[in-house]
Amino acid sequence: MARPVTIQDDTILDAARAVFLERGALATTAEVAARAGVSEGTLFNRFRSKEELFRACMSRGHVHAEWARKLPARVGKGQMPDVLADTASEILAFFRELVPVLMMEAGTPAFSPASLPSKGSHPAAEHIRRLADYLEAEMSLGRIVKQDAEVLARTLTGTLFSFAFLELQTTAETERPDAARKFLESFIALLWAGIAPRKTSPARLASKKAS
């Protein structure tokens, strides 16, 4: 007798996340079950309600940010403008997934988190801290001009979050398929102009030595 196929929770959660992102609060457990290839009964054996399923599949998007985990390995490697561009591109991709989730939570009270994290423990605060630590490390190597690393981290993430949010509210992406690429190029160029290490001219260096 053939053994029954065991469906992993990750399979159900991946299917649920895709359905919720497509359908929002109107998504049904029947649609999720169909996408996952299981019965609704199997679904409710794992998750007691649609709200619990929503929190389970969406919370992974809040916590797991691959771009943040890559930062320590990037310290001191590559050309800084290129590293910043790659990191910004990954952060934007992350926010493109996260923003629809936040909007669904805000618009559907039943889907809001069961409890808010304590002050300072929210994933967003952790991501900013990791980015600030990375930028601070690059500053210590002289690859970025010394300044407030947290302010720089918030400037970078805040700008990218704003772009992802507004992207959902407009038709810019369909009218200009290259809008995101051009934005990232211009943004990184502007950012780098303000944080690039300052070059000291020979005349200024001679003046410093004389004084």
Side-chain angles (χ1 to χ4, degrees):
M1 182 176 177
R3 297 178 61 184
V5 177
T6 301
I7 300 297
Q8 299 294 323
D9 280 356
D10 280 351
T11 300
I12 295 175
L13 293 174
D14 288 342
R17 181 177 176 81
V19 172
F20 279 121
L21 287 174
E22 290 172 8
R23 300 267 292 136
L26 296 177
T28 66
T29 52
E31 290 172 317
V32 173
R35 180 72 65 94
V38 300
S39 67
E40 276 192 276
T42 298
L43 210 62
F44 287 117
N45 282 336
R46 310 283 182 93
F47 306 96
R48 291 171 297 181
S49 66
K50 178 173 147 180
E51 290 75 18
E52 182 178 302
L53 176 61
F54 176 85
R55 294 191 188 106
C57 73
M58 293 305 187
S59 64
R60 297 185 303 165
H62 284 222
V63 178
H64 301 298
E66 185 63 27
W67 64 266
R69 291 198 292 269
K70 290 180 179 179
L71 293 175
R74 287 179 165 170
V75 175
K77 296 180 180 178
Q79 297 297 315
M80 276 309 307
D82 295 336
V83 176
L84 289 172
D86 289 343
T87 301
S89 180
E90 292 171 9
I91 295 174
L92 179 58
F94 171 71
F95 282 145
R96 279 172 162 169
E97 288 191 12
L98 181 60
V99 168
V101 176
L102 298 180
M103 292 177 68
M104 274 191 282
E105 288 182 348
T108 311
F111 283 177
S112 297
S115 60
L116 294 175
S118 58
K119 185 177 181 181
S121 65
H122 194 284
E126 174 66 15
H127 297 158
I128 291 173
R129 184 191 65 77
R130 288 192 185 192
L131 182 55
D133 287 346
Y134 163 73
L135 294 169
E136 188 75 52
E138 295 289 21
M139 290 175 196
S140 69
L141 294 175
R143 283 157 53 88
I144 296 177
V145 69
K146 287 280 188 181
Q147 57 190 284
D148 191 315
E150 182 177 341
V151 170
L152 181 56
R154 287 180 179 273
T155 299
L156 182 59
T157 55
T159 300
L160 296 171
F161 181 91
S162 174
F163 185 90
F165 178 80
L166 292 175
E167 193 176 50
L168 284 177
Q169 314 301 314
T170 68
T171 59
E173 184 66 15
T174 55
E175 292 176 356
R176 293 178 53 204
D178 61 344
R181 178 182 60 80
K182 289 186 175 181
F183 167 77
L184 285 173
E185 289 176 355
S186 296
F187 174 53
I188 293 303
L190 180 64
L191 188 69
W192 182 241
I195 65 175
R198 306 293 185 255
K199 293 182 178 180
T200 304
S201 66
R204 186 175 179 183
L205 184 61
S207 176
K208 283 186 175 181
K209 288 181 177 180
S211 61

